[in-house]
């Protein structure tokens, strides 16, 4: 019987527009005509916007080859399938960090160990390589780790339980060749965390209280190990000395290198994307920031301060915290119990006046725009800080000059007059909320910030009583080239702890995705270009940290208070790693059945 005329393409397309994408793909195998229509670009553009609920004003990803492939990328390349659960830790897992090559990762935990894992086994199973306990050094727990640029050293930050039950921090450096401990560095307060500046030097912090509400944060550059041939060379050097007011302190330091600001992996400005596509050879002039002792000497300075604290006794209480409470808060609360609000306000005014007279003026030459290409090697120190209350609500930025990259030269840094007691901040970005996490994009162009917002229009009259914070976590995106916030904040994850119990939730950024933990027992993944949440990763307790593999963004790790590390891979990667079983071809199957039937008819077994 002859078949009738086929449906016109326009009618088939209209029908497909009303079908879910799975049905469209299935229908495409009916005939050649339907297959051609099922790959129509207009069809997949409509399916893309409707399925992912993306505003039509948002353009397609600049690297996408077609709407069909872009739909498939978001559907098939998200690391949302749990493939392994690591249970070697015996307490809450607080942080995860990949090596730059992606062949190793480290984990920190309340069980006071740092563990190193292998990700390159042929069978794809992640295995434990080494575990080191820091209890022998009187640590309470490990909280953060970071590989240096060439993956030869591992920085591990933790809470050091010193005399009088203090909660100062300490940083340890390990060799990844033989897992030996190379050095230990004081870090006060502990939530400075610490970070690498380059392959051989790391940044730590110290805190000196000047009054009940006023303090001074000192950031130190430390050599990771002492060379035998350079034993007379400094191993530490002071980078910056910054005044803190209203009980705030500097925390969460990280380094941003501006080598790729003009050629990022992904431009988040849609208009800039269009211009880049239309004029790929156009050169954009960079817009830069508004930059306006020996080891024993550092220890002596800290010891002298501790002795002064003990002598004052009733007047001051050391900034010692038992857990993740904001550093210095215990000191401030006890110190302020006997001080009236007007006295605190007076101290802040005096501190501001002293700071204005004792702070080094910014260099006006650093404020003017740089010539094209001049900013390629600029380096910036980013950290959380504040000016209104003890909870961190601002991002501080300091430029690190080339002569500050090593510990050579004066231990106390560059020469300065007696009047220039403090360093000024080069730029400040106010988040208007309690900052609980930060992460850089791989190209260091964008800074992602987790925060819990304050009520709109709130006024802070008492630094010790910050505004209530929202349960929703906002994920801000800051362009470090223009120093402005890009688009609207991402939102899906939640947190429930109040101001004085708020803790850090680590996030991570890959080329196309950003992921974060949350207190609602889930990790979350968003697409950086489309600003949409793509996946929720379930745990049995708070998710503290997530980490993408730098070698493959379709591999993600998540760490939780349930003492586990979960390994997530994309559906696409799972198909590629599983052995393919090709079904027998139709002709071979028919021949096999016919042969079996003949054998049965002939009476053969």
């Amino acid at each position: 019987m002859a078949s009738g005329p086929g449906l016109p393409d326009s009618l088939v397309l209209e029908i497909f527009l009303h079908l879910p994408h799975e049905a469209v793909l299935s229908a495409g195998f009916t005939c050649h005509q339907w297959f051609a229509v099922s790959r129509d670009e207009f069809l997949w553009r409509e399916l893309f916007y409707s399925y992912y609920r993306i505003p039509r004003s948002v353009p397609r990803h600049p690297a996408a080859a077609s709407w069909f492939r872009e739909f498939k990328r978001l559907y098939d390349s998200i690391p949302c399938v749990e493939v392994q659960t690591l249970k070697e830790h015996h307490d809450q897992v607080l942080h995860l960090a990949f090596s730059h090559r992606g062949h190793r990762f480290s984990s920190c935990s309340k069980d006071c160990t740092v563990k190193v894992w292998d990700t390159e086994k042929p069978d794809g199973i992640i295995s434990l390589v080494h575990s080191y306990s820091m209890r022998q050094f009187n640590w309470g727990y490990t909280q953060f780790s970071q590989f240096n640029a060439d993956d030869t050293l591992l920085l591990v930050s933790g809470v050091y339980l010193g005399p009088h039950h203090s909660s100062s921090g300490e940083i340890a450096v390990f060799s990844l060749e033989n897992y030996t401990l190379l050095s230990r560095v004081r870090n006060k307060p502990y939530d400075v965390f610490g970070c690498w500046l380059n392959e051989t030097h790391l940044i730590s912090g110290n805190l000196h209280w000047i009054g009940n509400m006023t303090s001074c944060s000192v950031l130190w550059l430390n050599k990771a190990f002492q060379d035998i041939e350079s034993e007379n060379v400094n191993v530490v050097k002071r980078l910056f000395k910054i005044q803190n007011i209203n009980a705030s302190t500097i925390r969460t330091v990280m380094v941003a290198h501006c080598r790729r600001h003009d050629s990022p992996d992904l431009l988040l400005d849609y208009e800039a994307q269009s211009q880049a596509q239309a004029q790929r050879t156009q050169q954009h002039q960079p817009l830069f920031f508004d930059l306006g002792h020996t080891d024993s000497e550092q220890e002596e300075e800290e010891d002298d301060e501790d002795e002064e604290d003990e002598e004052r006794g009733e007047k001051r209480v050391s900034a010692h915290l038992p857990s993740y409470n904001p550093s210095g808060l215990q000191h401030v609360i006890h110190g302020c119990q006997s001080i009236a609000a007007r006295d605190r306000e007076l101290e802040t005014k005096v501190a501001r006046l002293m700071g204005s007279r004792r702070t080094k003026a910014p260099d006006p030459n650093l404020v003017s725009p740089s010539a094209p290409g001049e900013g390629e090697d600029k380096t910036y120190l980013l950290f959380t800080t504040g000016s209104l209350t003890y909870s961190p609500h601002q991002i501080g930025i300091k430029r690190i000059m080339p002569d500050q990259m090593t510990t050579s030269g004066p231990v106390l840094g560059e020469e300065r007059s007696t009047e220039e007691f403090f360093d000024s901040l080069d730029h400040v970005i106010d988040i208007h909320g309690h900052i609980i996490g930060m992460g850089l994009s791989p190209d260091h162009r964008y800074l992602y910030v987790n925060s819990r917002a304050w009520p709109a229009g709130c006024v802070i009259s008492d630094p010790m009583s910050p505004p209530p914070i929202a349960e929703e976590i906002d994920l801000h995106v800051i362009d470090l080239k223009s120093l402005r916030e890009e688009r609207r904040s991402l939102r899906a994850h939640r947190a429930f702890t109040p101001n004085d119990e708020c803790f850090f939730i680590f996030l991570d950024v890959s080329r196309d995705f950003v992921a974060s933990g949350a207190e609602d027992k889930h990790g979350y993944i968003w697409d950086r270009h489309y600003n949409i949440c793509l996946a929720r990763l379930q745990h049995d307790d708070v998710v503290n940290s997530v980490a993408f593999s730098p070698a493959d963004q379709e591999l993600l790790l998540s760490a939780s208070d349930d003492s586990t590390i979960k390994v997530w891979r994309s559906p696409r990667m799972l198909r590629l790693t599983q052995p393919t079983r090709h079904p027998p071809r139709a002709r071979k199957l028919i021949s096999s059945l016919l042969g079996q039937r003949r054998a049965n008819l002939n009476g053969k077994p």
Side-chain angles (χ1 to χ4, degrees):
M1 180 177 175
S3 59
L7 297 174
D9 289 352
S10 59
L11 183 56
V12 176
L13 178 61
E14 185 65 30
I15 295 172
F16 282 3
L17 285 171
H18 293 81
L19 297 178
H21 68 276
E22 298 98 332
V24 171
L25 291 174
S26 299
F29 291 104
T30 303
C31 62
H32 290 292
Q33 179 200 11
W34 285 22
F35 180 81
V37 176
S38 70
R39 294 299 187 269
D40 183 82
E41 275 289 277
F42 174 78
L43 168 65
W44 282 102
R45 185 185 69 178
E46 298 302 308
L47 291 174
F48 183 88
Y49 281 117
S50 61
Y51 181 81
Y52 292 110
R53 299 179 181 178
I54 298 173
R56 293 180 179 271
S57 59
V58 177
R60 192 174 71 189
H61 192 291
S66 67
W67 286 104
F68 173 71
R69 291 187 180 181
E70 187 66 351
F71 190 106
K72 187 177 181 181
R73 179 183 73 86
L74 295 187
Y75 192 82
D76 213 26
S77 301
I78 310 302
C80 58
V81 181
E82 180 184 344
V83 296
Q84 191 177 354
T85 301
L86 307 175
K87 301 181 179 180
E88 280 78 355
H89 280 292
H90 305 295
D91 207 335
Q92 301 170 2
V93 188
L94 302 179
H95 183 252
L96 301 166
F98 266 101
S99 64
H100 293 80
R101 282 174 47 203
H103 68 303
R104 297 276 193 274
F105 75 86
S106 58
S107 58
C108 295
S109 168
K110 281 287 186 73
D111 64 14
C112 206
T113 65
V114 55
K115 300 184 187 299
V116 180
W117 310 78
D118 181 15
T119 65
E120 288 189 330
K121 280 202 165 186
D123 58 3
I125 300 298
I126 291 176
S127 60
L128 180 64
V129 175
H130 185 76
S131 180
Y132 198 101
S133 175
M134 299 301 294
R135 291 204 186 278
Q136 58 183 311
F137 303 111
N138 208 24
W139 282 29
Y141 53 88
T142 59
Q143 61 172 351
F144 174 83
S145 60
Q146 186 181 47
F147 291 80
N148 70 339
D150 58 9
D151 293 334
T152 58
L153 302 175
L154 180 66
L155 176 154
V156 181
S157 174
V159 176
Y160 174 68
L161 299 179
H164 310 296
H165 305 287
S166 70
S167 290
S168 295
E170 189 171 64
I171 296 172
V173 177
F174 291 89
S175 167
L176 291 173
E177 182 180 357
N178 50 18
Y179 301 105
T180 56
L181 178 62
L182 299 179
S183 62
R184 290 160 58 202
V185 179
R186 290 191 182 187
N187 192 39
K188 182 180 180 182
Y190 60 82
D191 49 5
V192 169
F193 293 117
C195 66
W196 290 104
L197 175 61
N198 49 42
E199 289 85 351
T200 56
H201 293 81
L202 60 101
I203 297 174
S204 65
N206 196 7
L207 182 67
H208 308 278
W209 286 97
I210 303 172
N212 289 286
M213 304 279 292
T214 310
S215 63
C216 173
S217 289
V218 182
L219 298 173
W220 292 88
L221 182 65
N222 308 266
K223 196 166 186 179
F225 51 87
Q226 176 75 60
D227 291 327
I228 297 176
E229 58 272 13
S230 60
E231 58 183 9
N232 296 322
V233 178
N234 298 333
V235 293
V236 299
K237 183 170 73 175
R238 187 175 70 189
L239 282 178
F240 306 115
K241 191 172 185 177
I242 299 171
Q243 183 194 41
N244 306 308
I245 61 173
N246 285 327
S248 63
T249 61
I250 285 179
R251 309 165 182 165
T252 319
V253 297
M254 61 176 57
V255 172
H257 299 283
C258 303
R259 302 184 186 99
R260 296 183 56 200
H261 275 195
D262 291 329
S263 56
D265 295 327
L266 177 66
L267 272 174
L268 297 185
D269 187 334
Y270 297 142
E271 183 177 349
Q273 285 180 10
S274 301
Q275 292 176 357
Q277 287 180 321
Q279 300 175 338
R280 293 186 181 276
T281 58
Q282 179 180 358
Q283 297 294 326
H284 299 282
Q285 183 173 343
L287 177 62
F288 297 107
F289 296 145
D290 179 16
L291 297 178
H293 353 336
T294 65
D295 209 6
S296 59
E297 287 175 338
Q298 182 184 2
E299 293 179 1
E300 287 176 7
E301 183 182 359
E302 294 174 353
D303 293 339
D304 291 342
E305 183 194 11
D306 292 339
E307 291 176 3
E308 292 177 4
D309 290 345
E310 293 178 3
E311 290 176 0
R312 298 183 189 183
E314 298 178 358
K315 295 183 180 179
R316 297 198 33 223
V317 178
S318 299
H320 297 155
L321 302 174
S323 60
Y324 265 94
N325 291 346
S327 303
L329 179 57
Q330 199 68 22
H331 155 80
V332 175
I333 290 177
H334 287 289
C336 291
Q337 285 178 346
S338 60
I339 301 177
R342 61 186 181 185
D343 293 331
R344 296 199 293 267
E345 184 178 354
L346 178 61
E347 179 182 330
T348 300
K349 290 182 179 179
V350 172
R352 289 184 186 275
L353 180 61
M354 181 182 72
S356 64
R357 295 181 177 180
R358 298 282 184 173
T359 300
K360 180 182 178 181
D363 186 349
N365 295 326
L366 300 179
V367 178
S368 57
S370 304
E374 184 181 337
E376 288 298 307
D377 293 328
K378 289 186 178 180
T379 303
Y380 300 92
L381 183 67
L382 313 176
F383 46 84
T384 62
T385 182
S387 61
L388 303 176
T389 180
Y390 67 79
S391 63
H393 56 278
Q394 293 175 329
I395 305 295
I397 300 174
K398 282 291 296 181
R399 180 181 174 187
I400 302 178
M401 304 302 292
D403 61 337
Q404 295 176 302
M405 297 291 185
T406 68
T407 54
S408 60
V411 172
L412 298 182
E414 62 180 359
E415 296 279 340
R416 64 179 72 195
S417 68
T418 56
E419 297 295 322
E420 297 173 344
F421 194 74
F422 301 113
D423 293 294
S424 60
L425 297 185
D426 297 331
H427 196 87
V428 176
I429 301 173
D430 202 299
I431 301 298
H432 195 75
H434 193 130
I435 299 172
I436 60 171
M438 294 199 304
L440 282 167
S441 61
D443 52 27
H444 288 201
R445 171 69 184 263
Y446 297 98
L447 177 68
Y448 287 75
V449 181
N450 267 337
S451 79
R452 297 174 61 183
W454 291 336
C458 66
V459 177
I460 301 176
S461 57
D462 182 0
M464 299 314 301
S465 299
I469 51 179
E471 289 188 353
E472 295 82 7
I473 301 176
D474 292 326
L475 186 51
H476 303 266
V477 188
I478 298 171
D479 186 342
L480 290 179
K481 183 178 178 181
S482 65
L483 292 181
R484 69 166 188 251
E485 187 167 353
E486 286 288 343
R487 311 179 188 171
R488 59 179 175 82
S489 301
L490 305 176
R491 178 179 286 184
H493 46 332
R494 299 172 66 86
F496 310 104
T497 50
N499 263 310
D500 55 350
E501 298 177 14
C502 208
F503 55 86
F504 215 75
I505 293 179
F506 294 94
L507 56 94
D508 197 25
V509 189
S510 70
R511 185 192 65 220
D512 295 314
F513 308 125
V514 57
S516 174
E519 291 186 41
D520 59 9
K521 303 181 182 181
H522 288 86
Y524 290 82
I525 304 176
W526 294 265
D527 183 84
R528 292 179 58 198
H529 174 76
Y530 297 109
N531 261 31
I532 55 173
C533 184
L534 296 170
R536 298 169 76 238
L537 315 174
Q538 187 169 5
H539 273 269
D540 294 330
D541 211 328
V542 172
V543 178
N544 296 305
S545 178
V546 292
F548 287 102
S549 168
D552 180 10
Q553 65 176 353
E554 295 180 39
L555 168 61
L556 177 72
L557 307 172
S558 58
S560 171
D561 278 358
D562 62 15
S563 305
T564 68
I565 301 170
K566 289 191 176 184
V567 183
W568 308 84
R569 293 188 183 271
S570 67
R572 186 183 74 88
M573 287 302 299
L574 282 183
R575 290 197 307 271
L576 293 176
T577 55
Q578 291 174 352
T580 304
R581 295 182 178 179
H582 296 286
R585 292 186 178 182
R587 291 184 179 179
K588 291 185 177 180
L589 180 60
I590 294 173
S591 300
S592 176
L593 292 175
L594 290 175
Q596 184 178 358
R597 183 179 180 185
R598 291 193 192 99
N600 292 334
L601 291 174
N602 295 332
K604 296 180 181 179

